[in-house]
Amino acid sequence: GNSVTQMEGPVTLSEEAFLTINCTYTATGYPSLFWYVQYPGEGLQLLLKATKADDKGSNKGFEATYRKETTSFHLEKGSVQVSDSAVYFCALSSPGSARQLTFGSGTQLTVLP
Amino acid sequence: DGGITQSPKYLFRKEGQNVTLSCEQNLNHDAMYWYRQDPGQGLRLIYYSQIVNDFQKGDIAEGYSVSREKKESFPLTVTSAQKNPTAFYLCASSIAGTANNQPQHFGDGTRLSIL
């Protein structure tokens, strides 16, 4: 079956530090890959997505590249801000699946001023 | 603005009571989903519906029930059979079908607690 594995948190960084959150997946076929962000007390918001190998998704300074050879979709940001503090979820969607999304367990990020 | 509205934001239940969580969307999406989120954990799928009057169990459907009488609405009932209902519940919607590149849109959630 499908699965998503994220690096365990929590992750604590100083403002302007470089961020990497690792995500690897197992899936049949050619899935689409997503990163969602959840701010405290809120629902999930789509951060970025990539639908085929070597695609790079980007939004608000965050980037992730769909690497089929390593089955990975790592999230990166060059300079984090305090406002980036949130929980980040990696997810995949397999073709032909009515359920659509399989989520990782989430990574808590705290950015200190 | 289009979106998903969940209500109430906070809900308290006594032991043995059923409670219903509301989820309404005006995005004209065919598919809707209910997830449960426990502290420090990911999302687990409870039920999903691809079309009106049809729905399927997810991974943790026991103790829950749903209905889908209207396209816009997908209420979730937490029954007394659910022994550990305290959690954060999230509703989502998306364009239906099996194309795999459609993201889900989420509401702001309902936090359910047992008195």
Side-chain angles (χ1 to χ4, degrees):
Chain A
N2 297 336
S3 67
V4 175
T5 303
Q6 287 182 236
M7 68 183 284
E8 295 205 5
V11 174
T12 302
L13 296 173
S14 297
E15 204 164 23
E16 300 184 2
F18 184 86
L19 168 71
T20 299
I21 300 178
N22 290 338
C23 171
T24 58
Y25 68 89
T26 302
T28 54
Y30 298 93
S32 290
L33 301 172
F34 306 86
W35 277 101
Y36 283 84
V37 59
Q38 183 179 34
Y39 298 101
E42 297 184 7
L44 276 66
Q45 301 174 25
L46 178 66
L47 183 59
L48 54 85
K49 72 175 188 180
T51 58
K52 61 183 187 295
D54 300 324
D55 268 2
K56 177 186 283 188
S58 61
N59 186 25
K60 300 180 182 179
F62 290 91
E63 293 183 339
T65 301
Y66 187 164
R67 301 288 188 198
K68 192 171 188 306
E69 63 276 12
T70 55
T71 62
S72 65
F73 192 54
H74 305 321
L75 182 68
E76 296 181 336
K77 187 175 185 181
S79 176
V80 294
Q81 305 300 311
V82 173
S83 57
D84 293 328
S85 298
V87 180
Y88 293 82
F89 290 94
C90 185
L92 72 82
S93 175
S94 275
S97 170
R99 294 170 45 131
Q100 292 201 346
L101 289 183
T102 299
F103 287 91
S105 58
T107 301
Q108 172 77 55
L109 170 66
T110 301
V111 180
L112 302 175
Chain B
D1 285 343
I4 299 176
T5 301
Q6 290 189 241
S7 61
K9 191 168 179 66
Y10 299 95
L11 187 58
F12 299 92
R13 190 190 96 169
K14 292 182 179 179
E15 298 267 359
Q17 274 186 338
N18 294 350
V19 290
T20 297
L21 284 61
S22 170
C23 178
E24 304 277 335
Q25 55 98 359
N26 61 2
L27 298 167
N28 199 32
H29 286 166
D30 288 304
M32 297 187 73
Y33 310 81
W34 274 106
Y35 294 92
R36 170 180 171 139
Q37 186 178 25
D38 293 286
Q41 298 188 29
L43 279 68
R44 292 185 289 170
L45 183 65
I46 304 172
Y47 269 97
Y48 62 103
S49 168
Q50 292 287 304
I51 196 169
V52 173
N53 292 322
D54 188 39
F55 48 82
Q56 284 76 42
K57 293 181 180 180
D59 299 319
I60 55 164
E62 184 175 353
Y64 300 96
S65 65
V66 293
S67 62
R68 187 83 189 278
E69 298 176 0
K70 298 187 299 181
K71 185 176 184 178
E72 303 80 17
S73 179
F74 191 40
L76 174 74
T77 297
V78 184
T79 74
S80 57
Q82 171 50 242
K83 296 307 178 188
N84 184 23
T86 297
F88 190 48
Y89 291 87
L90 287 162
C91 179
S93 71
S94 72
I95 296 171
T98 55
N100 68 330
N101 60 356
Q102 298 301 323
Q104 292 182 9
H105 301 260
F106 285 81
D108 282 339
T110 293
R111 189 165 300 280
L112 174 63
S113 301
I114 300 303
L115 293 177

